[in-house]
Every structure is written in structure tokens, then in C-alpha cells.
């Protein structure tokens, strides 16, 4: 049997796509391997969001090329595929920069991989045209065993692409226009996942709360409505969604945080900056105060909600005052966990053309100050859960026998010691302590309260 090795960079959408590629290639006689050295087919599923992410691909390709040559010397052929957002953005340039690459395929075209791989070797291919057909209609479902081997928590893509055009971002170009999957297809996939033993579903999209999927009766469902329906699926006890845009947090979705016990009290809602001037230059279409008021409404609906966000420092033209506005917004809101980045100019995006780029040392200093504050907030949040009784979804065995790891409703890793529990179970745990990245707890009961 041939073997395929898939490595994914970037966001959850890429994780999902990598799994779909593996499922599709299983039908073509490829078994998945975790060891690149033994792979007949190596797929790098790439990310173009920041320069570092994109450049990483070329250094990795250098290593893959060496491997290809070594295997060739032993009489084995290795095919190299570059998929994902760098493939979409750079296309032919990848073939030019790395001669060992056989196929370049964009995120909307990977359902064609089986065909592309059958072409003669000399014919190096780039397939990045946005197709008319829907790739999801061509992707086979994994077996039950395969689904379960990936864990009790699964991603499900419900929406792809983005029409927001934030001035720093490549996603609208690499993933194309925003498209929602039809409700029936999403429900089919969710039921199949639940049937295989999945307990937690995270519905994903580049702009997931812009979801507007068509239902069988022709009506259009919002994300709030979809979440209500997903919560009815037997076996699904936890729901999450990511990534959302502040502009698309509608009443129905906020109300779902109040009304749906299965919807976990955790929200990743990127704000990027606290300065109105910078938010405007970024084309985010809201102010700092609008974000604060939105968070207030969400907290009224679900007082214990844990908040997460993304930040960019050093956006072109960002002054000390603009940066202080970001620090103030962070201090006002209080985040449980976050991602923060130095602005990275991306080819083809409007912000990259801006003539006032912030010098690197200033970016470095601002990022350090921001991350310091965010880390203090994260530790404070985690400390605040010590002593609480929380539901924990058990996900995988711990490092030592008798140890088992799971997640709190707030997405914190929790470690417990017990022989009497099993993976996939929601248990009630008293949090007894913490390390820098996880919580420790003791089992209080089975069943949990959130599922009730
Ligand atoms: N759709 C999501 C974000 C997807 S990209 C949203 O609207 O928020 C994930 C994060 O990467 C962004 O939130 C942003 O913080 C960061 N990012 C995107 N482009 C970037 C760039 N050019 N430089 C630095 N960070 C960037
Ligand atoms: Fe990028 Fe903005 Fe779209 Fe998010 S909303 S994917 S940051 S363009
Ligand atoms: Fe990266 Fe593409 Fe996701 S650029 S963040 S892999 S949508």
C-alpha cells in the first residue's frame, strides 16, 4: 500500500482540509503515515497569512527535496504536493523556486488531487482556478474508525472564504469569496461524526458567523439557528464556533449563548486593535467602543463567557497613542487567551503599500508589552478557575498511567487522575491547582452538568 504524509500549517480550516485530503487519498489506496521518510506522497498544506509562515514552506520543501532524492536513490518514487494558501497565492512561483515539487493545488481544488496525481511526472501542474463545482460534493467521508482516531472533538467547515477585505489580510485572495455550505450537508456530516463517537463539534469558517446556509425548504439559516439544530443531534454535548467577526455577532447568535447549554462559554472574537483610527485603516468597520459594547451584551447573555482575541501591533501608521489605545482596550475587557502578532506586509494587500511602515524594533517592543499584559490576564483567568467545579470533556490519555486529559468549558486543558472514567465522557471535576498551561482537577462525578 502506498503512503501519504500530510503536514498542515496555519488555521483550523487547513487542519480540516488536511483530513479531507487524507480521506480522499485513502480511497486511492494511500494509507496515512506520520513519518515523512516512508511517504510516497508528501503534501504540505500551507499558510500565507504572515511572511514567516509562507517562508517556512520553502525551507521545509528543501528538506522534502533531500528526502525525495534519497528515496529515489533507493528506487522509490516520491511525489510532492504543495496545497493550501501559499499554493493559491504563489502558484507557478513555487514550481520555479523548488524544482522537486510535482503539483501545486489551491484550497478550493484539492478534491481534484486523485486526477492530478495520475498525470505523467514530467507534467508539473498548478491548479488554482476557483472551480465552478463544490469541492465538498467530491470529498468522501472517512470510516468510523478513522473519525474516532482523530479524537472526540472535531472540526466541521460550514463556511469558507471572506468578503471583508481587511487591508492587512490575504484570506479574501487565497480562499476567495464567502460561501456557506447548505444546511442539509452540514447536518449529514455532523450526524456522521456524532455516530462515530464525536462529542464536541467546532464549526469553522474564515468568517463563521457570517454563515447564511440554505436549508431544504429554501430558507436561509444563520449561525445561531444552525447551532440550535446541531445541539439536537444525539451524542453532541458541546458546540463551539470559530473564527467570528465582531460585525457579524447578531442577536440570534448572542441569544444562543444564553439559551443553549451545549454552546460553550468561550468566544474567539478578533479585535486586532483598540485604536479607532487604526481600526478604520484596517477596514474592520467598527470602533473600539462598539467592540466594548458588543462584549457587554455578550456578557449579559452569558456572564461566565471566556473571551479570546487576535491582535496586530505595528500596523502601518500606528502611533504610540494608537498602541496605548490597544493596551487600554485589553485592560478594559480582560481576555482569557489570545493570539498577537507583529504586522507583516503581505503582497497584494492595500496596507503593504502604505508609506508609513512601523520600524521593526518598535513592533518588537510593542508586541512584548502587549503580550506581557495578555499573559497576566491569561494566568489570572486560569487562577480564577482554581477551586471551581467544572465540567470536563475527556479527550486523551495523559502521560502517565491513570492520568487522563480533557478540556474545561473555557477550553483550558485539564488533567485528572482516575481509572474509572473513559475518553469521550463529560465528568464533573473540582479544579485543585494549575501549572502555566493546564489545570489539575479531581473527579467529583460522572455525567457533568452541562449535558443535563
Ligand atoms: N477571519 C479572522 C482572522 C483570520 S487570520 C478574523 O477576521 O479575525 C488570523 C489572524 O492573523 C488575524 O486575526 C490577524 O490577527 C492575524 N493576521 C492576519 N493578517 C496578518 C498580517 N498581515 N500581519 C500580522 N497578522 C496578521
Ligand atoms: Fe482576513 Fe478580515 Fe476576512 Fe478575517 S475578516 S479573514 S482578517 S479579511
Ligand atoms: Fe493561513 Fe490560509 Fe488559514 S492563509 S490562516 S491557512 S485561511
Amino acid at each position: 500500500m502506498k503512503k501519504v504524509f500530510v503536514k498542515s500549517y496555519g488555521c483550523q480550516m487547513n487542519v480540516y482540509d488536511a483530513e479531507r485530503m487524507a480521506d480522499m487519498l485513502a480511497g486511492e489506496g494511500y494509507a496515512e503515515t506520520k513519518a515523512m521518510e516512508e511517504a510516497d506522497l508528501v503534501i504540505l498544506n500551507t499558510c500565507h497569512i504572515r511572511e514567516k509562515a509562507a517562508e517556512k514552506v520553502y525551507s521545509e520543501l528543501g528538506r522534502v527535496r533531500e528526502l525525495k532524492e534519497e528515496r529515489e536513490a533507493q528506487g522509490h518514487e516520491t511525489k510532492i504536493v504543495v496545497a493550501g494558501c501559499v499554493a493559491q497565492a504563489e502558484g507557478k512561483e513555487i514550481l520555479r523556486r523548488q524544482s522537486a515539487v510535482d503539483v501545486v493545488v489551491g484550497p478550493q481544488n484539492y478534491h481534484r488531487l486523485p486526477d492530478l496525481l495520475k498525470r505523467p511526472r514530467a507534467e508539473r501542474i498548478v491548479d488554482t482556478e476557483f472551480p465552478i463545482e463544490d469541492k465538498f460534493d467530491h470529498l468522501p467521508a472517512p470510516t468510523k474508525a478513522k473519525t474516532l482516531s482523530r479524537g472526540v472533538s472535531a472540526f466541521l467547515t460550514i463556511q469558507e472564504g471572506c468578503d471583508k477585505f481587511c487591508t492587512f489580510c490575504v484570506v479574501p485572495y487565497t480562499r476567495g469569496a464567502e460561501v456557506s455550505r447548505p444546511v442539509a450537508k452540514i447536518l449529514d456530516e455532523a450526524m456522521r461524526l456524532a455516530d462515530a463517537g464525536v462529542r464536541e463539534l467546532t464549526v469553522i469558517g474564515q468568517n463563521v458567523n457570517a454563515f447564511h446556509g440554505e436549508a431544504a425548504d429554501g430558507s436561509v439559516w444563520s449561525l445561531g439557528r444552525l447551532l440550535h439544530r446541531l445541539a439536537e443531534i444525539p451524542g453532541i454535548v458541546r458546540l463551539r464556533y470559530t473564527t467570528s467577526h465582531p460585525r457579524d455577532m447578531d442577536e440570534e447568535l448572542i441569544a444562543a449563548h444564553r439559551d443553549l447549554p451545549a454552546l460553550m462559554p468561550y468566544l474567539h472574537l478578533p479585535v486586532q486593535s483598540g485604536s479607532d483610527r487604526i481600526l478604520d485603516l484596517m477596514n474592520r468597520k467598527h470602533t473600539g467602543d462598539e467592540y466594548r459594547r458588543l462584549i457587554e451584551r455578550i456578557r449579559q447573555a452569558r456572564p461566565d463567557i471566556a473571551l479570546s482575541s487576535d491582535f496586530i501591533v505595528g500596523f502601518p501608521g500606528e502611533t504610540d497613542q494608537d498602541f496605548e489605545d490597544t493596551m487600554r482596550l485589553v485592560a478594559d475587557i480582560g481576555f482569557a487567551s489570545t493570539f498577537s502578532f507583529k504586522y507583516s506586509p503581505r503582497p497584494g494587500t492595500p496596507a503593504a503599500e502604505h508609506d508609513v511602515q512601523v520600524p521593526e524594533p518598535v513592533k518588537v517592543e510593542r508586541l512584548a508589552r502587549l503580550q506581557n499584559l495578555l499573559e497576566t490576564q491569561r494566568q489570572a483567568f486560569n487562577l480564577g478557575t482554581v477551586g471551581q467545579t467544572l465540567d470536563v470533556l475527556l479527550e486523551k490519555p495523559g502521560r502517565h498511567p491513570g492520568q487522563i486529559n480533557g478540556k474545561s468549558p473555557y477550553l483550558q486543558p485539564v488533567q485528572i487522575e482516575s481509572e474509572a472514567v473513559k475518553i469521550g465522557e463529560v465528568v464533573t471535576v473540582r479544579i485543585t491547582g494549575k501549572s502555566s498551561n493546564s489545570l489539575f482537577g479531581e473527579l467529583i462525578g460522572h455525567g457533568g452538568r452541562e449535558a443535563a
Side-chain angles (χ1 to χ4, degrees):
M1 202 172 188
K2 287 177 290 184
K3 290 191 174 140
V4 56
F5 171 87
V6 193
K7 182 163 179 181
S8 218
Y9 304 81
C11 63
Q12 292 96 338
M13 310 288 294
N14 262 13
V15 175
Y16 178 90
D17 289 342
E19 289 177 355
R20 294 288 78 75
M21 284 188 242
D23 295 340
M24 191 173 54
L25 292 166
E28 301 289 310
Y30 284 93
E32 214 177 332
T33 172
K34 299 240 180 293
M36 200 200 280
E37 315 77 68
E38 58 173 34
D40 305 283
L41 174 60
V42 173
I43 303 178
L44 302 185
N45 196 28
T46 60
C47 174
H48 200 243
I49 202 79
R50 283 167 292 276
E51 191 184 351
K52 243 193 211 151
E55 282 306 311
K56 219 187 309 180
V57 176
Y58 289 102
S59 52
E60 186 73 9
L61 278 175
R63 275 197 292 279
V64 185
R65 181 213 180 117
E66 279 172 29
L67 217 112
K68 179 172 176 151
E69 286 166 357
E70 275 166 35
R71 278 177 49 93
E72 216 141 31
Q74 296 156 7
H76 302 296
E77 194 196 349
T78 313
K79 280 207 165 178
I80 305 179
V81 173
V82 177
C85 291
V86 178
Q88 187 64 42
E90 297 190 2
K92 269 205 200 88
E93 173 69 8
I94 299 173
L95 296 185
R96 200 189 58 76
R97 274 182 72 176
Q98 183 45 269
S99 58
V101 174
D102 298 284
V103 175
V104 174
V105 65
Q108 307 305 348
N109 304 65
Y110 65 76
H111 58 291
R112 296 185 187 149
L113 258 182
D115 284 341
L116 300 176
L117 290 168
K118 280 176 200 130
R119 307 263 187 96
R121 207 169 163 208
E123 200 183 311
R124 301 170 75 211
I125 305 154
V126 176
D127 188 356
T128 52
E129 289 295 314
F130 287 111
I132 318 268
E133 78 271 16
D134 178 359
K135 73 175 175 217
F136 293 106
D137 288 342
H138 300 265
L139 300 175
T143 60
K144 259 193 194 189
K146 187 77 201 171
T147 300
L148 200 57
S149 75
R150 290 173 177 153
V152 294
S153 179
F155 291 135
L156 201 177
T157 294
I158 64 167
Q159 177 279 340
E160 266 205 285
C162 181
D163 296 338
K164 294 266 188 313
F165 291 93
C166 300
T167 55
F168 52 81
C169 183
V170 293
V171 171
Y173 312 97
T174 62
R175 294 275 171 167
E178 201 203 299
V179 180
S180 295
R181 291 179 69 191
V183 169
K185 300 239 171 90
I186 295 168
L187 295 179
D188 278 354
E189 190 166 333
M191 285 188 267
R192 185 182 53 67
L193 289 166
D195 188 46
V198 166
R199 311 300 311 280
E200 175 178 88
L201 269 186
T202 303
V203 293
I204 58 174
Q206 268 92 20
N207 225 301
V208 75
N209 56 344
F211 176 79
H212 55 282
E214 198 174 319
D217 62 1
S219 63
V220 173
W221 287 24
S222 67
L223 178 58
R225 180 153 183 202
L226 180 71
L227 288 168
H228 275 276
R229 178 64 189 85
L230 290 171
E232 291 169 7
I233 296 176
I236 298 299
V237 294
R238 283 184 166 190
L239 292 172
R240 302 179 185 276
Y241 60 94
T242 202
T243 295
S244 339
H245 192 287
R247 288 275 299 201
D248 294 318
M249 288 301 300
D250 62 14
E251 272 317 315
E252 207 174 2
L253 185 53
I254 296 175
H257 279 284
R258 181 189 61 218
D259 301 333
L260 257 187
L263 183 56
M264 290 294 99
Y266 182 95
L267 175 61
H268 181 65
L269 194 61
V271 64
Q272 316 297 355
S273 168
S275 153
D276 292 349
R277 212 177 61 82
I278 296 297
L279 285 168
D280 187 44
L281 287 172
M282 287 176 163
N283 192 29
R284 293 291 291 183
K285 302 190 178 80
H286 64 80
T287 64
D289 279 347
E290 279 162 354
Y291 186 84
R292 287 179 178 86
R293 281 197 293 275
L294 175 61
I295 296 296
E296 226 168 86
R297 280 164 55 215
I298 296 165
R299 279 181 165 152
Q300 270 162 14
R302 183 77 205 226
D304 70 332
I305 199 154
L307 295 166
S308 161
S309 199
D310 292 343
F311 297 88
I312 295 177
V313 301
F315 184 84
E318 186 187 68
T319 62
D320 286 341
Q321 183 54 51
D322 293 320
F323 175 67
E324 294 309 327
D325 289 348
T326 299
M327 293 291 280
R328 198 163 47 83
L329 180 128
V330 172
D332 287 350
I333 290 181
F335 291 96
S337 87
T338 50
F339 300 93
S340 44
F341 314 97
K342 285 182 291 184
Y343 169 72
S344 166
R346 306 306 293 128
T349 60
E353 306 301 319
H354 204 292
D355 23 313
V356 206
Q357 297 291 331
V358 174
E360 180 67 15
V362 177
K363 288 187 195 171
V364 170
E365 199 231 303
R366 286 181 189 165
L367 186 66
R369 270 189 65 204
L370 177 64
Q371 289 189 336
N372 209 339
L373 176 60
L374 292 167
E375 178 61 12
T376 310
Q377 293 191 341
R378 187 177 76 89
Q379 294 297 349
F381 178 82
N382 288 343
L383 191 63
T385 51
V386 175
Q388 286 191 29
T389 301
L390 299 178
D391 280 357
V392 173
L393 171 62
L394 299 174
E395 292 182 340
K396 52 178 190 249
R399 219 173 289 156
H400 308 292
Q403 239 175 31
I404 186 157
N405 295 336
K407 293 269 166 59
S408 80
Y410 312 114
L411 219 52
Q412 300 152 294
V414 183
Q415 214 178 76
I416 66 168
E417 313 254 341
S418 175
E419 306 281 355
V421 292
K422 58 180 196 302
I423 287 165
E425 208 184 329
V426 175
V427 292
T428 311
V429 168
R430 201 175 71 83
I431 306 300
T432 52
K434 73 183 252 305
S435 66
S436 61
N437 287 315
S438 61
L439 302 176
F440 307 109
E442 82 195 5
L443 181 73
I444 291 191
H446 295 263
R449 297 157 307 165
E450 69 196 24

